[in-house]
Amino acid sequence: SQQGEEDPQALSIQEGENATMNCSYKTSINNLQWYRQNSGRGLVHLILIRSNEREKHSGRLRVTLDTSKKSSSLLITASRAADTASYFCATVPGQNFVFGPGTRLSVLP
Amino acid sequence: KAGVTQTPRYLIKTRGQQVTLSCSPISGHRSVSWYQQTPGQGLQFLFEYFSETQRNKGNFPGRFSGRQFSNSRSEMNVSTLELGDSALYLCASSLMPTQETQYFGPGTRLLVL
């Protein structure tokens, strides 16, 4: 089973609504990162939250981390059609990055 | 700074052939990682290079190999291609290995017929 698993697998919302994605992981981590991937392209780093942080903001993004529950959430506020993409959480449980299967977000105009 | 570049962007090969993919990291980045992305398996780690040395290798057969040059550019090679090797191959660079934020290239889409 994977270190990081996102939930839900797919999410459709209307433009202007908020989107929340969750990530669960299994082992202790130093940090957790979120990446975005537009269809068939490379991943773009969105935000990194360290294990001693509980919440972090970047523009319309808000990430929370609960190390006791081994989970993180990514909130995108006031979504736009351009936010349509797949979102992945990534951790480093050993010596290399492990990505979850991703949440596919569709923002409808 | 220019971003991570990967060549070629698209490639069609037949079973049994071999292929070499190239990755040029962001200037100053010394760590390069490779990933395979497929609809069924998601993003899977292939290997990581730092200062011309392979630091880690994922769970892939020996047909998958790579190397890194003194200018940090990296290549990966897949020999005896199989249909299941069809995937998007992503390269990512970072200043230092693993714990740092990774910057991804656009990927090479490989189709094996």
Side-chain angles (χ1 to χ4, degrees):
Chain A
S1 57
Q2 300 199 38
Q3 160 74 345
E5 296 200 15
E6 291 90 347
D7 166 55
Q9 291 186 358
L11 180 62
S12 281
I13 58 174
Q14 295 293 134
E15 215 167 16
E17 293 181 336
N18 296 340
T20 300
M21 289 158 266
N22 303 297
C23 168
S24 60
Y25 58 92
K26 293 181 170 56
T27 62
S28 61
I29 57 172
N30 291 323
N31 65 65
L32 183 144
Q33 302 181 34
W34 285 90
Y35 287 79
R36 183 188 76 226
Q37 183 181 35
N38 292 90
S39 182
R41 304 297 301 273
L43 279 71
V44 174
H45 179 260
L46 293 176
I47 195 165
L48 179 153
I49 185 165
R50 302 194 185 280
S51 58
N52 61 353
E53 297 176 307
R54 292 295 169 260
E55 187 172 313
K56 200 162 182 180
H57 296 253
S58 178
R60 294 184 294 112
L61 305 180
R62 172 178 167 255
V63 169
T64 62
L65 180 64
D66 187 335
T67 53
S68 66
K69 295 181 179 178
K70 292 187 168 59
S71 67
S72 174
S73 68
L74 170 68
L75 167 68
I76 303 174
T77 60
S79 63
R80 306 165 181 168
D83 295 327
T84 294
S86 292
Y87 292 81
F88 298 86
C89 66
T91 59
V92 185
Q95 294 191 37
N96 52 269
F97 275 78
V98 175
F99 289 84
T103 291
R104 184 167 184 81
L105 173 66
S106 297
V107 181
L108 307 174
Chain B
K1 281 184 180 178
V4 178
T5 58
Q6 291 187 245
T7 57
R9 292 292 311 279
Y10 303 93
L11 207 47
I12 299 175
K13 292 285 188 179
T14 56
R15 280 180 297 173
Q17 288 187 310
Q18 75 164 17
V19 67
T20 299
L21 311 181
S22 181
C23 171
S24 292
I26 291 172
S27 178
H29 285 193
R30 295 165 59 197
S31 176
V32 174
S33 297
W34 288 89
Y35 297 87
Q36 182 197 64
Q37 186 177 30
T38 59
Q41 299 297 319
L43 268 160
Q44 292 189 288
F45 171 77
L46 278 159
F47 24 65
E48 179 185 27
Y49 287 88
F50 177 69
S51 294
E52 301 178 66
T53 302
Q54 186 181 89
R55 287 188 74 247
N56 300 302
K57 183 172 167 59
N59 189 25
F60 279 83
R63 300 185 296 107
F64 291 81
S65 63
R67 59 178 174 169
Q68 186 180 35
F69 302 95
S70 58
N71 62 358
S72 295
R73 189 177 69 85
S74 178
E75 289 181 347
M76 67 162 281
N77 184 277
V78 187
S79 62
T80 320
L81 284 165
E82 300 177 359
L83 295 179
D85 297 333
S86 295
L88 180 67
Y89 290 88
L90 293 163
C91 163
S93 76
S94 59
L95 281 167
M96 296 294 287
T98 311
Q99 299 287 348
E100 298 292 319
T101 300
Q102 296 201 315
Y103 297 84
F104 282 79
T108 294
R109 173 79 61 183
L110 172 64
L111 177 61
V112 182
L113 302 175

